[in-house]
Amino acid sequence: MRLFDAHCHLEEEAFDEDREEVISRAIKSGIIGIVTSPIYPEDAEKALSLFRDHQVVKVSIGLDVAEYGEDDEVEKTIQLILDNVDDIVAVGEVGLDYRVASRGGPDKDRQKEVFRRFIRLAKELDKPLVIHSLWAQRPVLRVLDEEGASRVVLHAFGGKPDDIKFAVERGWVISIPTNVVRSENIRRVAECTPVEVMVLESDSPVLAPNPRERNEPANIRVSLTYISKLKGYCPEDLASITTDNAKEVYEL
């Protein structure tokens, strides 16, 4: 069985003590590819030093929406992407987060301004986008559409059926996290998402099947079993389809 973790954060401190063991468990579980997505410049540098030439783990560089108000952080992230364009598979995660805005972070207009910069950068570099859309699923879709984005991974997407239809019509990929086994909203997303545009992610170290435990890529096996039953697919077939989808969007 071939599996792919389309989005996680293996560079985070939560994995500093046993990162290689975590990756080993992932490979033993059948995972042939992992995309880790640092969201701070210092974490991006760490991820590149850890995984630049790794056979299984690949890097996508993005920026936490909470940092969009800091010009230095935005410019530093863009420069890191430009300097390491041959060593990354995507731009992201980037996007909109209206919960951040509600808590005094960058307002909606500023978020959209920075988000558009990242979309245009990804198009210029011919890289896919990994998208964050907390409390802002529909606005994210509108901005992506306005900017003509074509290669998109909607990470841990929580939109409604009409949003999923909108994304599917544009060929965008919807990524289902491992907390699908306990989240009613994510379960509905999985039900509505055609397997032809579905990928699987752990979002490690968060969104674990068991909320009391640290998540890791090997838990893709758990969500695969659950989604297979939900969609009426043989697990081996769904694993192959979602893995091929991830390899295609990331051009691996």
Side-chain angles (χ1 to χ4, degrees):
M1 183 182 292
R2 301 178 309 125
L3 293 166
F4 199 109
D5 186 350
H7 179 85
C8 67
H9 302 277
L10 281 180
E11 70 288 336
E12 287 198 3
E13 184 179 352
F15 295 110
D16 281 352
E17 293 186 3
D18 63 346
R19 188 173 288 107
E20 289 307 314
E21 290 89 342
V22 167
I23 294 170
S24 178
R25 282 194 292 272
I27 293 170
K28 287 178 181 176
S29 75
I31 290 179
I32 64 166
I34 297 170
V35 174
T36 192
S37 299
I39 55 173
Y40 302 101
E42 59 272 20
D43 282 354
E45 292 171 346
K46 179 180 179 181
L48 288 165
S49 70
L50 287 167
F51 304 122
R52 190 185 304 273
D53 298 313
H54 204 280
Q55 292 299 304
V56 175
V57 184
K58 307 301 177 183
V59 178
S60 171
I61 296 178
L63 184 64
D64 188 335
V65 177
E67 302 297 311
Y68 282 15
E70 302 294 329
D71 288 334
D72 287 350
E73 294 296 286
V74 173
E75 297 304 328
K76 192 182 298 182
T77 301
I78 289 172
Q79 194 59 51
L80 272 169
I81 292 168
L82 291 171
D83 289 345
N84 297 281
V85 65
D86 293 332
D87 296 312
I88 63 173
V89 296
V91 172
E93 62 187 276
V94 294
L96 303 175
D97 190 325
Y98 287 177
R99 184 177 64 175
V100 165
S102 74
R103 295 176 176 179
D107 65 23
K108 296 175 182 180
D109 288 340
R110 172 62 177 177
Q111 288 187 26
K112 288 179 180 178
E113 174 192 336
V114 175
F115 184 30
R116 289 181 191 276
R117 288 191 66 185
F118 281 120
I119 296 171
R120 293 167 187 172
L121 177 64
K123 288 176 67 177
E124 176 188 331
L125 300 176
D126 193 25
K127 296 287 183 182
L129 284 153
V130 179
I131 301 299
H132 175 95
S133 56
L134 195 59
W135 288 20
Q137 288 87 5
R138 193 157 298 176
V140 153
L141 299 180
R142 288 182 183 138
V143 173
L144 287 167
D145 195 44
E146 289 167 3
E147 293 292 334
S150 58
R151 297 168 60 198
V152 172
V153 178
L154 294 167
H155 140 65
F157 191 64
K160 298 183 183 303
D162 284 350
D163 301 325
I164 294 167
K165 182 174 183 290
F166 186 94
V168 170
E169 287 173 347
R170 286 150 183 80
W172 300 340
V173 171
I174 296 173
S175 187
I176 309 297
T178 43
N179 70 335
V180 64
V181 303
R182 58 181 174 85
S183 167
E184 184 67 19
N185 184 42
I186 298 300
R187 181 189 65 79
R188 287 195 297 267
V189 171
E191 285 181 326
C192 293
T193 300
V195 297
E196 292 78 13
V197 294
M198 179 186 290
V199 297
L200 306 180
E201 67 166 89
S202 68
D203 203 20
S204 308
V206 298
L207 302 189
N210 182 340
R212 294 180 295 277
E213 296 178 356
R214 179 192 69 174
N215 202 8
E216 61 179 72
N219 283 327
I220 292 289
R221 277 264 186 178
V222 178
S223 56
L224 173 77
T225 300
Y226 182 87
I227 297 167
S228 296
K229 292 178 181 176
L230 190 68
K231 304 286 283 185
Y233 271 79
C234 164
E236 289 78 7
D237 289 345
L238 186 63
S240 292
I241 292 167
T242 54
T243 294
D244 288 344
N245 291 343
K247 289 176 67 179
E248 181 178 358
V249 73
Y250 287 124
E251 293 192 336
L252 295 173

